[in-house]
Amino acid sequence: MSASSSRPPLSACIITLNEADRIDACLDSLGFCEEIVVVDSGSTDGTRERAAAKGARVLERAFDGYRRQKDFAVQAASHDWVLCIDADERVTPTLRASIEAARARSFSDAEGYRFARCTEYFGAPLRHGNAYPDRVLRLFDRRRGGWRGEREIHEQLRVDGRVGLLAGDLDHQAYRNLDDQLRRLDRYASLMARHLHERGKRAHLATIVFSPLWRFLRGYVLRAGFLDGWRGLVFACVEANYVREKAIRHWLLGHTQPHV
């Protein structure tokens, strides 16, 4: 799609590793972008070939952290306005319309934009609790922002300037199954605990007890996660367990247990 003179061209940036079963739907939702950049870190399932067949510009780079990988993709883009999404995410028609409307105004009202992310969980969307609306900053002018900081896990995108809010959801097909979720959260807990420890953050035994409890109560009760039925209960329990595991790993790292 060629860009008109009145609207900025847009690059979509995605990092991948063995996402052959999900990359097609992700790329199909980005047809309004002038360019799609896929940075792959060694897929063995045909992800690179599928992305290339969809017209993406595929680059290969050894993985050395989520933030660094995403920043590399942004810097490799041909255009300054960038939309960063993950392979398990899709731009819904409503969100696409909002992005296109903002682009028709040359993104004149902000230097970056947030929008809600809706997670599908065991066949239905989570619409309450800690899972939703989960507003994420993903559309921005790279001259004014980017993947900054030192944290490689739960990495943050920051923008110098105004941040607008767009209507519509980013559809998040987060987990293939429960085992996939548990494996991923176990990896995140380990990475986050090490990040906290390396930056001199102290861990306390009380955190192991009270932080998971607070996470559960905040999401399931205060933010009405119970309205999502059994899915909301399972999500809240798994999320609280992630917080507990992170706290345990962090505490152990500070008490002569280097291999956690």
Side-chain angles (χ1 to χ4, degrees):
M1 182 186 298
S2 61
S4 68
S5 59
S6 62
R7 64 177 197 170
L10 185 60
S11 293
C13 295
I14 309 162
I15 66 171
T16 58
L17 174 63
N18 292 330
E19 294 285 357
D21 60 333
R22 302 194 286 196
I23 192 65
D24 286 2
C26 174
L27 298 181
D28 287 343
S29 76
L30 297 170
F32 60 100
C33 298
E34 280 70 27
E35 175 189 48
I36 300 176
V37 178
V38 171
V39 177
D40 187 80
S41 55
S43 292
T44 58
D45 66 346
T47 295
R48 293 189 301 275
E49 293 78 7
R50 297 185 76 92
K54 288 285 185 179
R57 179 159 61 94
V58 180
L59 306 174
E60 295 184 51
R61 181 178 187 271
F63 184 83
D64 61 350
Y66 292 99
R67 182 190 61 79
R68 292 187 183 95
Q69 199 80 343
K70 291 182 178 182
D71 183 63
F72 177 86
V74 168
Q75 298 309 316
S78 301
H79 307 301
D80 287 324
W81 273 93
V82 174
L83 173 64
C84 290
I85 75 170
D86 294 333
D88 60 2
E89 297 171 337
R90 297 95 175 83
V91 176
T92 60
T94 301
L95 177 56
R96 173 176 175 167
S98 296
I99 293 173
E100 291 284 59
R103 185 155 67 142
R105 303 189 299 271
S106 299
F107 298 125
S108 58
D109 57 338
E111 284 69 51
Y113 295 89
R114 296 183 185 276
F115 33 81
R117 182 169 63 166
C118 181
T119 296
E120 181 176 311
Y121 201 62
F122 293 106
L126 296 174
R127 290 290 184 182
H128 307 87
N130 292 326
Y132 189 82
D134 187 27
R135 294 186 177 94
V136 291
L137 173 59
R138 297 290 190 81
L139 174 62
F140 65 102
D141 183 345
R142 68 178 178 183
R143 295 166 296 186
R144 302 294 300 274
W147 298 98
R148 299 173 176 171
E150 298 180 347
R151 194 167 73 185
E152 293 296 337
I153 181 67
H154 301 319
E155 62 283 358
Q156 292 184 329
L157 202 161
R158 296 188 177 93
V159 169
D160 298 325
R162 299 161 297 176
V163 176
L165 179 63
L166 297 180
D169 292 344
L170 184 66
D171 183 25
H172 189 204
Q173 307 285 323
Y175 310 112
R176 294 178 174 92
N177 48 50
L178 182 61
D179 286 338
D180 180 40
Q181 183 183 15
L182 295 176
R183 283 192 299 267
R184 191 181 306 188
L185 293 182
D186 179 68
R187 184 171 71 253
Y188 293 167
S190 179
L191 290 170
M192 273 302 298
R194 193 162 297 279
H195 170 83
L196 294 169
H197 176 70
E198 289 174 351
R199 278 146 190 79
K201 301 290 186 181
R202 293 187 60 192
H204 304 279
L205 283 174
T207 304
I208 297 173
V209 176
F210 295 109
S211 288
L213 178 61
W214 168 242
R215 181 65 67 93
F216 179 87
L217 292 175
R218 184 181 66 180
Y220 191 68
V221 179
L222 298 180
R223 294 182 177 176
F226 60 86
L227 293 177
D228 285 317
W230 64 264
R231 293 176 179 86
L233 177 61
V234 171
F235 184 85
C237 289
V238 173
E239 189 182 42
N241 188 63
Y242 158 72
V243 173
R244 177 179 293 106
E245 181 179 351
K246 178 178 65 175
I248 292 171
R249 288 178 179 273
H250 185 199
W251 188 87
L252 287 174
L253 282 169
H255 292 77
T256 67
Q257 297 290 333
H259 304 295
V260 297

